[in-house]
Structures are given as C-alpha cells and as structure tokens.
Amino acid sequence: MDRPLPSLSQFVLKVHSRCDLACDHCYVYEHADSSWRGRPRAMSEKIMEKTADRIGEHARNHGLSMVHVVLHGGEPLLAGPIRLRKAAAELNRALAGVCALDLRIHTNGVLLDERFCDLFAELDIKVGVSLDGDKAANDRHRRYADGRSSHPQVLRAVELLNRPQYRPLFAGLLCTIDIENDPVAVYDALLALDPPRIDFLLPHATWDVPPPRPAGSATPYADWLDVIYRRWDGTGRPVPVRTFDSVLRTLHGRSSLTESMGLAPADLVVIETDGSFEQADSLKTAYDGAPVTGMDVIANSLDEVLEHPGMLARQGGVEELSEQCRSCPVVTSCGGGLYAHRYRTGNGFDNPSVFCPDLMELIMNIRDSETSAPSRPVAAVPLAELAELDELAAGFGSAETVARMAAAQLELNRELLRAVSERVARDDSIAAAAWELLSELDGEHPEALDSVVGHPYTRPWALRILEGRAPATIAPGLAELAAAGALRARKAGTVVVPVRDGLLRLPGLGAVALSADAGYAEVAAGADDFTVRAAGRVLRIGWDEGMDGLTPHWQPVRVVELPNWAVALEDTDPLRDSHQWPVAGRLSAGEAKGWAADLTAAWSLICRQLPVYAPGLTAGLRVITPLHAPDDGEVSAASKEAFGAIGAARPDSPDQLALLIIHEFQHVKLGAVLDTHDLYDPADCRTFYAPWRRDPRPLAGLIQGTYAHIAVTDFWRVRRLDAEGEAARTAEAQFARWRQQTTEAIDVLAGSGALTELGERFVAGMASTAHGWSVEPVSSAALSKATSAAARHRADWQARNSIN
C-alpha cells in the first residue's frame, strides 16, 4: 500500500532575493547554486497573493491547526515595510477561519529599526537575528562587501529587540559555527545579549566540498560544541539552546527541534521571489539546481509539491537513510544529519552526513554526561509513608492519608508563622500583642489556633512577608489570626486589629465592613455574639447573622453542610486572590443558594459514582473560592500555596462541578506531596510534550497536569457506564481521549530522565492506574477519534515547536 502523503506546515517566503552583506559562508550566494541571479529582486504582490492562497488551500484541505511562515531572503528587510505588510496581510486573509498563523522573519539585523519593530509588533511577527558571537567572531564572515564590520549594527538591532515594548518579538539568535573562533567567547557574547533562544548551526558542506578540519582532530565541531555544552549545562542551562535541547529530546525518544537532527519527516517548502516552489534552502550547497522542483504557485498545488521525488525521499524516516546510518546506534538522535550535508557526486544523498563523526561524538558526549551525572539523593522513606505515597500515586488517597498530609501542611504553616513572628519590630505593640495571644491560644485552645493557622490563605500571606513582598502586613496579619482564633475559642479579652481599606478581616470566619476612615478595630468575643468597636461605632454581631446576605456590615463565610463533608464558600477574605483567575465578589443570598444546591448534587454524584475520591475530599478540601470567569467561560484553579482550597467559577451543571472538584483537588494533593518529597530534579530546565497543550511544559507542569488528568479520565470512565444515548457516547469519547492523553503523558514523564527514584515509583503508580484502564473496551469510533486526534496534536505540536 502506498504511504499516505503528509502535509506541509512550514513555509519559507523569499520576499527579497538580494542581501546587504557579503557573508562568505552564505549558502545562497557563496555555494554551488546560482539560481538567485535570474530571479526578481522582490516578490510581487501577485505572487504574494497566490502564495497565500496556496497555503490557505493546503491548510484547509489537510485540517491544519497552524502553519509556520518565515519571511526570508536574501535579506528580507530589503523588501521594505510596505511589501512586508502586504505579505502579512495576504497570509492572514488566506488563513482567516482556517487555522492559526505563526509568522516570523529572519534577518541579519543591520537594517532593523523602530519603524520595522513597530510594524512587527502590530502584525505579530517574531524576529530571529543572525550573529556569530563577539566582534572578532562575527567579523570573520559577516561583513559588508567593502569589508566593513556589521557587528555594531547587529548589536544595535538586538538592543532594540530587548526593549520592553519589543521584547515579545525577539525569537532568538542563530550562530554559524566557525571552529577557529573561541567557543567560550562566542557563547558568552551571545548569552550576554539575553536572547530567548540560541541556535548553533554547522557550516554548510558536502562530501564534495567538506568542512575545514584542522590537523589533529577527527571531530573538531563536536569538540567545539562540547566546550559550550559543558559551560551551558554547568551553569544551569540559562537559555534554551536548540542544538543541545534537540539532542536531549531525541535521546529520550521525543522529537527534534531542528530539521538537522531526528527522524521526523520534512514538512517545509520554500517559495522563491518568482513563485517557484523549492525544497529546503540548504540544498543550494549541494549542486546547482539541487532544490528545484520545477513547480510554482501559479500552476501547482502544495499537494503536487509533496509528490516530488526529493520531498518523498525525506518522508520515510530511517528507511530512507544510508545503510551506514540505519545501523548506527545514535540514528534516532542524529537522523542522518541535515539532508544537504549527505551529498556526494556519484550516489547523491545516499550517504551519512559529512559531519557524521562530529554528530556521533556530540550525541554520545551529551548522553554520557546525562547518565554519568551524580545520582540524586533519595531520602529514606519509612514503609508506612511509602505506602501512603503509593496510594496517592495511584490517583486517590484515603481519609487517613489525606488527613496526615493536611497535618503536615498545618505544621508547615506553623513554622512559617514562627518565622513571621521573628520579623516583628521591637516597637510594634500590636504585632507583639497578637503574637502573645497566639501563643496563649496554642497552649489553651490549640484546635481554635489550628483552624486559623490552617486557613488556606495564611500561607500565601506568610510567604509574601518572608519573601519581602509585603512587610507592612505583619501586624495586620498576626492580629487578624489572633482575633479569629480568640473568637473561635470564645476567649475573653479584646484584640486590636488594623483595618484593611475599611474591612476587618477575620480569616476563616468572615469580614466586617467598616467606614473607610477606620484605622483600627477592637474585637471581643461573647457567648452568643461578638463586638466590634471602630471609628466611634459599636457593632454587636450574632454568630449566625448575615448568612442571608442582607446584613450590610457582617459578611460571614457560608459553610455548605453535606453528608460527611462541610465546605466553605470563601468570598470574604481579601487575601483569597491566590489563584490564577480573578476572584468573584461577595455572593448574593441567591447565588450562595445556587452554589449550595450544585454542591449538594455534585457531592451526591461523587459519593455514588466516584466514591474512591470522597474520603480524601472530606479530609483535605475545606474551601471553595468563587472565581470570576472572563466571558462567562469555565475556569478553575488550585494554588500550591493554598492547601485545602480550590477556586472555581460556578459551572453550568453539578456534573461539571463534580469533575472540577476532583480534578483540582488532584493538584492540591500533589502540591502537598512535592512540599515534602523530591519527585524530580528541580534544576532540570527542559520542557516536555504535553498531549493537552500546544506549548512545551516544564516538568513541574507536566507532572501536575498528568496527575490531575488521572481524575478526569476516571470521571469519564465512570460516567460512560451510567449515562445513556448521546450522553453515553459523549462520555465514551471523552474517556477514550483522556485515557490516550494521560497514558502518553505518563510515558513522557517516565522517559524524561529527570525523575528521582521516588519520582519513578510515583509515576509508575500513575501508570499502573492508567494502563489498567487501557484494556477497558470502547467503541471503534471513539477509539479511532481519540487516536487520530492524538496523532494530529502531536504532529501540530512538533511542527509548531520545531520552529519555536
């Protein structure tokens, strides 16, 4: 059977065919191909329009979610702002309603100015700049035709891109390697410019015209890069380096970020200024006419381009490589090297890369560096604690396990509170009195103190103080905790509490609205009520007063009492804004009743259909903070600093609320695990594929997302068995989707090379649960849809991140 044709998602548009520099290592003007001489200097509007139409047509026919376009040359800035605006406008027109556009420009930087940057900011065009290092390194090749240095102009361009208003445009620096340059000086010079990414490119060469190799070294390019790799790795990998990141990724079975490595099929085509379709530009270094397809945007579609023998030859993965490459131990990382670098007169491209020894040495050096790194220490974990971690790793957690987790979090909060007390100034009488009262409560009424210290938003407040972000809140925070503890304990006496913008905060209990000029309040507990004196006014407040939302001054926290579970709707605490979405205001009585009704129904669903999650929720989730959803969307969040709380906008149905609760509580549990156990190397700065995201994720984000999706998968797994008709088919499709994605993510984690021994055990626990679900039957339609969607997502992700 013929292999189905792939699609193209990366396009290089030659908007101008000439250059204002005379770089002697340029593959366009200084190598074998001379086709540039007969082409128009600039792409015409007609060719731009037809090119955009062809890309839009291809994206529509293949269902692409994004295409990546690089405006190139020659030097593309020579095309001028008007022509570049036209190119962007045509691309956006052709792709409107079809797919997203990632538009970039690659420049030598010498013409870049505010006028261009303002245009690129308007049109969302990212900018990559060529720079070979410090002045000495850059001047070796990148000069004007009259011999002048281009280095000052390029530095000015980079400085411009680093301005705050233009920094989002900066895509990174591309450096062509010259082994005569000092690698440390080159790397340090590039790093000093604070680029978002660096890419080191091997100079273009073939077996007919091999690269320079000084006597005495069989692998000078690997040696040069190895010096930089060790410096980069030894300083914590301060910037993404696409060359090294690609090796590291392919060593762990993931995709490369560059066409010069890895086995991913080629999905790039070049459109010249005259509208000709060509293969990758690097082929110009092989022989005159090497990239030619004989097709153009007027007469041919992109599907026809894909049928060209040269394109097909780069779609077959390892089977299309030379015999030597197929038997090589590092072929999955190397991928045979850049296609152009394999050329030799006589047998064409059926050869290893001319840089084969260097690529092998570089890959093996990085592999050995990774495997020989000192093993990360794993603390001796008691067997009982290890059993609890195994229980949590499976995705669940008993009431006893989560209760012990909550106790550990409470002790952490107590330590933070003690650290805050050490910051109290000698002359701060309010803070000193509050700390004294808290100490008394610890001895006389420890349960009352635990209630306020364990309030989810105590920790964010304490951390802000200890990190120097809110030193002025020491006295207010301590006094608020002391007052709330005294009220809970019904302890006699008066507590002086600073008022925040007219609001008296009583953490976990509620808030009292006072006049704007009230600087302090005196709070005293009674048997049936409590008293607040502030600004000459005395308020006597009953404990149950204000639950209906009609009392203007007292805003108590409403607690929803459910079978075996009580959860607070926290809409009063001014410090509750610890989640990634804005908090909602005080709920009306009707809104609170709606929340209570939905929580009752959601809890009933959890207890009936997902009972394995219920015990942990009763022991660990005490607060739900209503959030504001922009555009009435569905949002939810958990904060690693606020154990015991989740935030959410009220969803459309109790079923969705049940899903949201078990999903976000997974984040809460894992956050607590990570407070006490190292599951992965925190110094590992790499990013990884997440099946539900279009952007690469750091390891912390990937493990959090994967653990949360254990619960999401389980929700739909169970729901499909309880529903009927269309609802059952929807649930089955969701189960197939999330099972596929969660299993994929677990495999990425397991192959990351960054897990500790305990982390490997924890991920294996997740895998056991997810893989146990893999044998559960689903319809062929649901399975096919999930598998196809996963393949499309991975292909889109690889295409998106191969340029990014």
Side-chain angles (χ1 to χ4, degrees), residues 579-594:
H579 305 285
Q580 67 192 76
W581 300 98
V583 296
R586 174 68 169 171
L587 300 175
S588 68
E591 289 170 332
K593 288 178 181 178

Side-chain angles (χ1 to χ4, degrees), residues 87-158:
E90 291 301 326
L91 289 165
N92 280 290
R93 170 192 59 79
L95 294 170
V98 178
C99 71
L101 169 65
D102 173 36
L103 185 56
R104 296 169 182 252
I105 191 166
H106 183 74
T107 173
N108 60 35
V110 299
L111 293 178
L112 191 68
D113 57 17
E114 287 87 347
R115 176 186 54 163
F116 279 118
C117 286
D118 289 338
L119 176 69
F120 299 154
E122 175 191 345
L123 301 176
D124 191 24
I125 300 176
K126 305 297 189 295
V127 185
V129 178
S130 294
L131 180 65
D132 287 350
D134 57 4
K135 187 175 185 300
N138 201 69
D139 284 354
R140 193 180 293 275
H141 302 286
R142 294 187 177 278
R143 291 178 174 270
Y144 290 94
D146 61 6
R148 286 179 297 125
S149 170
S150 66
H151 192 255
Q153 289 83 357
V154 184
L155 291 188
R156 178 189 51 76
V158 174

